[in-house]
Amino acid sequence: MTCSHCGPSSGAPTLVGSPRILLVGNPNVGKSTLFNRLTGARQDIRNAPGTTVDLSTGGWRAFGSQLTVVDSPGTYSLLARSADEQVVTELLTGDIQVEGGKPDLVVAVLDATALSRSLYLLGQLSRVGLPVIVALSMVDVARAEGVEIDTETMSSVLGVPVVAIDPRHGLGLEDLAGAVRTGLDVLPFLIGPDAKACTCAEGGDCCGSTQAADATTLAELLEDADDVFAWVEVVSSRLGAKRPRIDTTFSDRVDRVLLNPVAGILILLGVLWGLFQLTTSVAAPVMEWAEGFVGGPVTDWALALTGALGLSDTWVESLLIDGILAGIGVVLSFVPLMFIMFFALALLEDSGYLARAALLADRLMRSIGLDGRAVLPLIVGFGCNLPALAATKTLPNAAHRTVTALLVPLTSCAARLTVYILIAATFFPSHAGTVVFAMYIGSVLLVIAGGLLLKLVFSDDTSADPLFLVLPAYQKPGVTTVFLSAARRALAFLKGAGVTIVVMLTIMWGLMAIPVTGDHDLADVPVEDSLYAEVAQTIAPVFAPAGFNDWHASAALLTGIVAKETVVAALSQSYQVDEPEENSYEDAEGSDLGERLRADFDDASGGHGQAAALAFLVFVLAYTPCVATLAEQKRILGWRITAGAFGAQLVLAWLLAVAVFQIGSLL
């Protein structure tokens, strides 16, 4: 039913261009799954203006029209206590505009298994003054638990269209499209709870307070929570949707194990280990294939093209092959890794386990100002920083996302291990394993110290609050939905970070291609005569207090900003010797590269080669992450915060390296 006397006018809303549909709902209610179903591949992810909060927008083709759908962050209330909840409020008031205006229609996604909680949010939405329709999700889960909700009765009681949906399986979407069309074409659907809990369907005067709100009046409208609670209670009773007496549900039985203080922690560790393996062993062959495809067939085609154009053995060919295509190869090699990680995260989230993992790890994460949900990206970071940053998207709190994204580069990714092994085996052959282990302990300590510091800078009103989570019912993940979600986020990485990676790698090619000494042609220059070596020699004195004032070391650190796994290769290239063939202590200890390193580090440090080696290791552990990680940080946090973090990590790494060398040289 419609409310014929709500609002200042009984006319239909004026729509200009593509109508804007805003999805609003509690966390874990299926809102994002619905968004993925409606929009498919026609999506874009952007930060809300002035925030690090993600907004997903997409196109939905329905009833012959093109609609713009906006997926807002999950929230339990419009009384904002976090940046994410504030974004929802500002979307509703028009302070944040998508496609040039306020939403034309709000689709309130309600959870049939927790109707009272969802109705509380709906009651607040009613006071914003925008047309609202209801999409009732989790109906199948509620039915399995003995809860039946009649959507026709619910629509009559609320006075707005109510549609049952199952976005995981694509059910109810046509009915939803019909309700949206009605909401856009007919009179605005405005519900208005008051102390008597009347509804527009009854012809009461409750609609009188539903004039369109603005940013200055919305908070006042929402302050009187008693009216909303009373309305929720009466509506719930009229729907007759009270949960029957059930001894235990399936989710209750599973949680007896998964939330057990002992068994639950062991299972969580197993899940985290599995995610760690995904970022290393499982993804590695796919990454190698993707990079090999660019380095093989694609490069061969490019060489054939330059040959046909008469550009063989020229700087143009070198730029194309060693610069642009090399960068594209790096980007494409990371796409499978990102997809695999996003797929795994979506599976955990869709199944309902992710909330349990957060609950188990909450006490530990509270010690550094975060909540339990941050443990997953930090653990993943020890495999690879890039998917770890991607995992921060699961954190609903913007301040926690920012802090975690800044802490992730302090986790020692697997790419650093080759450097640890080379240096440890070269300078500490009898204690190499202990030295490598100490690097990982140092990484954990850096994360803890960084968290304690960052929570003072990025803390918000919720940082000291206990974790409040509504544990969703366990359900079988929808493979299609999970696949689409993973593909969408992998594509967002490709579009957002890919260009940055290619540009930075092309700049690195330029440094190595430009000769500064000797009679060499462009892109045909020994590394020691290149601008790359000149820059390294200029930087080298900076590391004199850390004991490795040597251009070979500084050049390797420069290359490490491109990718940490290239540090050993860069050292080998600068010394013009072969790098160790095996990633083992024995092979590294006896290599020509190891002998050259010992000689130069001893010379640069005044005979304190071991102290200088430890300082070098600490610098590698703490300094700025690789290009791909920086590009993803920039996509998540923006240039300003990323640039600040870049500089701060360089300073931190230098200070730690100097301290280690100065103390070590005394001992």
Side-chain angles (χ1 to χ4, degrees), residues 389-442:
L389 285 175
T392 63
K393 295 294 185 181
T394 64
L395 307 181
N397 182 290
H400 290 179
R401 273 200 305 276
T402 299
V403 171
T404 307
L406 292 173
L407 291 178
V408 161
L410 296 177
T411 60
S412 186
C413 66
R416 292 177 169 96
L417 182 59
T418 56
V419 187
Y420 298 161
I421 289 176
L422 172 66
I423 301 299
T426 298
F427 292 91
F428 310 95
S430 301
H431 306 284
T434 302
V435 171
V436 172
F437 178 71
M439 291 299 102
Y440 285 94
I441 295 297

Side-chain angles (χ1 to χ4, degrees), residues 486-546:
R488 176 172 63 93
R489 294 203 171 273
L491 182 61
F493 159 76
L494 184 62
K495 292 164 56 180
V499 174
T500 304
I501 295 171
V502 173
V503 169
M504 294 185 74
L505 289 178
T506 302
I507 292 173
M508 183 62 70
W509 168 86
L511 292 175
M512 302 188 73
I514 299 174
V516 292
T517 59
D519 185 16
H520 306 290
D521 294 328
L522 181 65
D524 185 18
V525 52
V527 63
E528 63 270 16
D529 294 335
S530 68
L531 180 58
Y532 169 76
E534 183 76 12
V535 172
Q537 289 170 355
T538 303
I539 293 174
V542 174
F543 298 109

